[in-house]
Amino acid sequence: MADKAKVPITVVTGFLGSGKTTLVNHILTGKHGKKIAVIENEFGEVGIDDALVMETREEIFEMNNGCICCTVRGDLIRILNKLLKRKQMFDAILIETTGLADPAPVIQTFFMDEEIKEACVLDAVLTVVDTKHIMQHLDEEKPGDVVNEAVQQIAYADKILLNKLDLVTEDEKLAVIRRIKFINKPVQIIECQQSEAPLDLILGINAFNLERMLELDPEFKGVHMLLDFSKNGTWKEGQTRVNKLVFIGKNLDREGLTSGFKACLV
């Protein structure tokens, strides 16, 4: 069970035009009795429902229904810490990423900052999928080491909202489901139109599981981008001075890491 003293955070991701903002509006107007703080990386092409938003130029502002909305114009950690100073005003936080965002850095935020880790708990990563167009995004070839955001968004999902089902045939839908399961086998899929999913299936569900994610793919980036330094006493006179970097993980490229560090030497 999630720690009730911590603020539950839901991350909403999905490719451009999938219906993320429609889902956020659905949640904000739903009858769940909760006051939710919404963080948007930027206002999307649709935007939060105008009927809910008060005119303001502030970075954090209260909406007509008592919820709070923020725009991230800089660092997510900074805006979260600023928002947490008002934690008595809301019950949960909803973060909507941009359509072209890899969700890994957002997830990483909740493990790299001690204050946020103590104050918040990641409840779930929800990925909204445009069933009509997702295949072309998954098949897109990226140059070099550039990640395919659509693949990452599905891989990191705790739940998938399979949206826009009215635009595809049954066979097309099943083909998309097979592809999703190939990328993320254990993920639960919720079928919907207009991003209208039952709120009890997407809020307060305690679905995020770090161990499951690492079992799914030990090479997942994001959480293990963390870098931790510690001081281990002082050198004694005459002692050979050595700095050590310890990498813990599976299938690490020792030669690549070694050559990379040697290339930094001046």
Side-chain angles (χ1 to χ4, degrees):
M1 253 181 117
D3 186 343
K4 292 184 179 180
K6 295 186 177 183
V7 178
I9 296 184
T10 301
V11 175
V12 176
T13 187
F15 211 74
L16 293 169
S18 61
K20 298 185 300 299
T21 305
T22 304
L23 173 63
V24 172
N25 283 325
H26 169 61
I27 292 173
L28 289 177
T29 56
K31 296 180 180 179
H32 44 66
K34 296 180 179 179
K35 289 188 176 181
I36 299 175
V38 179
I39 299 176
E40 291 195 304
N41 276 0
E42 4 176 274
F43 281 116
E45 62 277 7
V46 178
I48 297 295
D49 190 342
D50 289 340
L52 298 176
V53 178
M54 295 177 176
E55 278 294 325
T56 179
R57 293 184 180 180
E58 294 296 322
E59 189 174 43
I60 297 179
F61 56 89
E62 186 174 354
M63 293 184 285
N64 293 329
N65 64 349
C67 293
I68 295 173
C69 190
C70 318
T71 54
V72 177
R73 299 189 180 117
D75 179 43
L76 178 59
I77 292 176
R78 179 186 58 78
I79 196 71
L80 276 169
N81 281 321
K82 189 174 180 180
L83 188 60
L84 287 170
K85 292 178 181 177
R86 309 185 185 191
K87 63 184 296 184
Q88 74 282 357
M89 297 176 64
F90 55 84
D91 305 303
I93 296 174
L94 194 65
I95 300 176
E96 179 188 355
T97 70
T98 63
L100 294 174
D102 176 356
V106 177
I107 296 172
Q108 180 190 0
T109 300
F110 306 105
F111 298 91
M112 67 182 292
D113 185 275
E114 288 299 322
E115 290 185 12
I116 291 175
K117 189 163 64 174
E118 289 299 316
C120 304
V121 59
L122 186 54
D123 186 60
V125 177
L126 307 178
T127 298
V128 186
V129 168
D130 176 355
T131 314
K132 178 69 174 177
H133 300 106
I134 187 62
M135 287 297 207
Q136 68 188 61
H137 299 312
L138 294 175
D139 291 335
E140 183 180 356
E141 293 187 9
K142 300 284 186 176
D145 295 329
V146 178
V147 299
N148 184 313
E149 298 91 350
V151 174
Q152 293 292 89
Q153 290 164 358
I154 289 175
Y156 278 98
D158 296 304
K159 291 199 177 186
I160 296 282
L161 276 68
L162 200 59
N163 199 28
K164 303 188 179 182
L165 291 177
D166 53 319
L167 302 179
V168 298
T169 66
E170 182 69 14
D171 287 343
E172 289 172 329
K173 181 189 81 171
L174 293 176
V176 170
I177 291 175
R178 285 194 295 270
R179 186 68 175 275
I180 290 171
K181 288 292 186 177
F182 177 78
I183 298 170
N184 187 344
K185 187 176 180 179
V187 73
Q188 181 182 352
I189 297 175
I190 302 172
E191 298 184 9
C192 61
Q193 294 181 32
Q194 300 296 323
S195 300
E196 292 187 0
L199 296 176
D200 61 340
L201 296 182
I202 58 177
L203 291 179
I205 55 177
N206 193 26
F208 180 78
N209 186 307
L210 179 58
E211 286 70 29
R212 180 199 66 79
M213 182 180 294
L214 295 174
E215 286 175 7
L216 182 65
D217 185 348
E219 295 182 358
F220 261 173
K221 299 176 181 178
V223 172
H224 286 177
M225 289 176 185
L226 303 182
L227 190 61
D228 186 24
F229 292 101
S230 61
K231 184 172 66 174
N232 189 21
T234 57
W235 281 301
K236 298 177 181 178
E237 186 175 350
Q239 181 181 2
T240 301
R241 299 190 175 191
V242 178
N243 291 312
K244 293 183 179 180
L245 286 174
V246 180
F247 292 83
I248 301 174
K250 298 180 181 179
N251 304 317
L252 298 178
D253 182 359
R254 185 184 185 93
E255 291 184 4
L257 289 169
T258 302
S259 62
F261 277 106
K262 286 184 176 179
C264 297
L265 296 176
V266 293

